[in-house]
Amino acid sequence: MNNFKNLRGTADLLPDQLIKWQNVEKIILEQLCRSSVKEIRTPIIEMTELFMRGIGEGTDVVSKEMYTFLDRGERSCTLRPEGTASVARALIQNGISSKPLQKLWYMGPMFRYERPQAGRQRQFHQLGVEFVGYESVRSDIEIITLAWDILEKLGIKELNLEINTLGDNIDRSNFQKAFLKWLEVNKNSLDLDSQKRIDKNPLRILDTKNVQTKKILEDAPRLFDFLSEKSVQRYLNIKEQLKLLKIPYLENFNLVRGLDYYTHIAFEITSGSLGSQATVCGGGRYDNLVSQMGGTETPAIGFAIGLERLILLSGNELEESRETDIYIVNKGNKAETLAMKLSRKLRNYDLIAELDISGASFSKQLKKANKLKSKSIIVIGDDEALKNQFVIRLFNNENLKNMEETISLDDAIKLENWLEKNLLLKRSSLS
Ligand code: HAM
């Protein structure tokens, strides 16, 4: 017998867990809607070339972590490791990147072949937000505050915002020249991983976790010192506005992010309540990505939040689902038909009406209603059904008798009155 298991780094999300996921997603979507951000959906599978060009061949994501394979037509395909490159492609391809001001969000699975641990999976989920066509500092602030507010709305504690600026392409290439010179001289003092990065992606050496390398890097040239006056002004302006909005931040000059497309502001939000995988949100400006991928010059900024980490962080109160309003106990041929009709009627009132379809005895069905903590029950036997009636009453209530009512299936007014009085159903939903 073959016992199949899911692949390492992937996870089944079971019904009980999904209650929390759905509640979290609902809060996120409401917040996005309030900020007029519109949804975009792109394919999970793309041409490999898209990510090589968009994210950068020297990055860990592209060089080590992608799920890449040849399809039956010998095309190299990749399961998306992130969403920004796909969004840029979709906008260019559909001719809308040049239309200014797109505020977009997406949510879904991403794939990276990383070493799995708590909060790090090979198939994980992201909420991504991209503001495309936006150039102003205010759009930088709007993006950062949106990420911050979503996390706060979800009640996430101990949030820390770290920011840095990567300047524009010219600033960075000037810095890179000086940094490479310094690396040549200091190469042997660096850890092996950092040494390997010198040719592939020297900037990433800056966010090494190696303590010794960190110490040595203190004497390296600083990117900030290579920024043009304009880039510095932009960054100072962002800091000023964050202060005005009372969003606390820390500057981290070593924050370079793992993807090559960033320019100017880069940021991460961590939570002290998470373990080693503390970064719950990462983002920044990427003014060159769209043009680099064949579109017109289009400034843009965005972020992505890791949903698994968000779920780990959000409170238990989000694990609660809506209670069953009415449980319909029914047995007998006629009773079952009436119960089916009735359940559809009740659901039209936006009630959670659970129809028992087990065919079990009345007492077993009542036990199930009890287990579900249903607020009320309807009991239908063939005797009631013959008269086209049902009995409805509050469940687990001391004044059971007072609340009990026999109602005819066609008597909408009597039913609605009962629902309004006992389940506090608003008149507005009773139509
Ligand atoms: P990222 O920093 O690579 O940025 O990922 C964003 C977030 O996704 C991380 O902060 C983390 O919460 C989550 N994440 C990443 N990898 C994993 C993993 N293996 N398991 C669980 N969660 C993970 C981006 O992806 C950019 N596209 C963000 C962006 C949008 N920048 C501009 N626009």
Side-chain angles (χ1 to χ4, degrees):
M1 183 70 181
N2 200 344
N3 280 330
F4 290 112
K5 283 192 171 167
N6 62 319
L7 291 171
R8 192 163 129 81
T10 68
D12 297 314
L13 293 172
L14 302 175
D16 282 349
Q17 291 166 288
L18 279 170
I19 293 169
K20 191 168 184 183
W21 279 76
Q22 287 166 349
N23 285 334
V24 165
E25 285 167 11
K26 189 163 166 262
I27 294 172
I28 292 175
L29 296 195
E30 283 167 0
Q31 194 65 16
L32 291 168
C33 180
R34 287 182 199 117
S35 299
S36 312
V37 187
K38 304 276 185 322
E39 185 179 7
I40 182 166
R41 295 188 193 186
T42 61
I44 283 173
I45 174 175
E46 296 268 9
M47 288 163 65
T48 303
E49 185 70 21
L50 170 72
F51 301 115
M52 289 170 65
R53 265 229 257 145
I55 300 173
E57 288 181 57
T59 59
D60 281 356
V61 171
V62 170
S63 65
K64 300 186 196 160
E65 296 169 0
M66 291 207 304
Y67 276 89
T68 296
F69 57 95
L70 288 181
D71 72 4
R72 286 173 195 273
E74 304 279 302
R75 286 167 286 251
S76 181
C77 306
T78 293
L79 298 180
R80 62 180 185 192
E82 59 104 51
T84 311
S86 302
V87 168
R89 180 208 43 75
L91 293 181
I92 297 169
Q93 190 178 335
N94 292 286
I96 46 182
S97 77
S98 52
K99 274 197 199 145
L101 314 184
Q102 306 270 343
K103 297 207 276 181
L104 303 166
W105 67 267
Y106 49 88
M107 209 187 280
M110 309 286 161
F111 303 83
R112 294 184 193 177
Y113 194 84
E114 292 191 83
R115 199 167 45 78
Q117 62 186 81
R120 189 164 71 195
Q121 292 185 184
R122 290 180 176 169
Q123 178 181 335
F124 60 100
H125 298 77
Q126 275 186 349
L127 157 74
V129 177
E130 316 290 353
F131 283 9
V132 182
Y134 287 81
E135 220 234 316
S136 66
V137 165
R138 279 209 294 171
S139 60
D140 296 355
I141 299 295
E142 176 85 351
I143 270 285
I144 296 174
T145 48
L146 180 58
W148 187 263
D149 289 346
I150 287 174
L151 297 172
E152 277 206 332
K153 268 265 163 337
L154 286 162
I156 296 179
K157 303 269 166 3
E158 296 178 53
L159 290 177
N160 303 299
L161 166 67
E162 291 189 8
I163 60 169
N164 189 21
T165 177
L166 302 175
D168 60 20
N169 274 354
I170 299 170
D171 302 338
R172 250 206 334 271
S173 101
N174 286 342
F175 164 70
Q176 195 145 316
K177 274 182 219 144
F179 190 40
L180 281 172
K181 259 193 200 146
W182 181 89
L183 286 168
E184 227 167 76
V185 178
N186 294 278
K187 181 176 176 179
N188 293 333
S189 324
L190 305 180
D191 63 284
L192 272 182
D193 242 15
S194 297
Q195 289 188 22
K196 279 190 213 147
R197 287 203 155 119
I198 294 179
D199 295 326
K200 281 215 261 164
N201 199 351
L203 226 62
R204 279 244 75 187
I205 295 174
L206 292 176
D207 74 353
T208 176
K209 303 276 175 295
N210 184 289
V211 183
Q212 170 124 17
T213 304
K214 265 186 169 173
K215 184 104 199 81
I216 294 161
L217 281 171
E218 281 171 17
D219 298 326
R222 283 197 328 167
L223 174 54
F224 195 85
D225 298 329
F226 289 79
L227 297 183
S228 67
E229 185 51 30
K230 204 169 153 209
S231 301
V232 173
Q233 270 315 319
R234 181 175 185 104
Y235 182 62
L236 295 180
N237 201 346
I238 292 175
K239 290 202 299 178
E240 193 56 38
Q241 303 225 17
L242 284 175
K243 272 186 206 142
L244 286 176
L245 291 173
K246 298 203 166 36
I247 296 189
Y249 63 84
L250 278 171
E251 285 182 88
N252 175 356
F253 289 124
N254 293 330
L255 191 152
V256 287
R257 312 268 303 123
L259 314 157
D260 276 356
Y261 47 64
Y262 291 108
T263 49
H264 297 291
I265 189 81
F267 64 94
E268 290 189 350
I269 304 178
T270 56
S271 167
S273 322
L274 271 177
S276 57
Q277 298 306 311
T279 311
V280 66
C281 171
R285 177 160 282 286
Y286 53 94
D287 288 345
N288 302 321
L289 179 64
V290 176
S291 57
Q292 200 179 299
M293 283 174 34
T296 49
E297 288 283 328
T298 310
I301 179 160
F303 67 81
I305 290 178
L307 294 184
E308 277 74 10
R309 297 183 192 176
L310 206 54
I311 297 291
L312 285 174
L313 285 168
S314 45
N316 298 342
E317 69 283 357
L318 292 169
E319 279 166 21
E320 278 166 31
S321 60
R322 220 179 117 182
E323 286 173 346
T324 307
D325 293 300
I326 304 183
Y327 195 89
I328 308 174
V329 173
N330 59 108
K331 195 159 172 65
N333 279 343
K334 294 224 155 24
E336 284 166 17
T337 307
L338 184 99
M340 273 194 286
K341 284 189 198 158
L342 183 59
S343 64
R344 294 178 73 201
K345 220 178 232 223
L346 291 167
R347 287 175 193 147
N348 279 341
Y349 290 134
D350 188 29
L351 285 166
I352 300 192
E354 179 147 356
L355 172 66
D356 194 309
I357 48 173
S358 68
S361 65
F362 277 112
S363 68
K364 279 208 177 126
Q365 292 189 38
L366 283 166
K367 262 190 205 146
K368 183 77 193 295
N370 201 14
K371 201 167 157 208
L372 279 178
K373 298 197 177 81
S374 178
K375 291 182 211 155
S376 64
I377 59 163
I378 283 176
V379 182
I380 314 172
D382 275 345
D383 288 351
E384 286 87 9
L386 268 175
K387 290 185 240 162
N388 207 30
Q389 284 179 343
F390 55 90
V391 176
I392 187 165
R393 60 172 143 93
L394 281 183
F395 200 47
N396 289 328
N397 186 296
E398 287 174 2
N399 297 320
L400 275 186
K401 276 283 166 234
N402 296 338
M403 307 297 178
E404 191 171 295
E405 192 93 73
T406 303
I407 302 177
S408 157
L409 185 67
D410 304 320
D411 194 345
I413 305 235
K414 198 168 178 188
L415 174 62
E416 289 176 7
N417 282 343
W418 192 94
L419 297 174
E420 192 186 23
K421 186 167 150 224
N422 296 301
L423 294 184
L424 307 177
L425 203 68
K426 296 219 172 60
R427 267 279 146 198
S428 56
S429 50
L430 292 172
S431 56

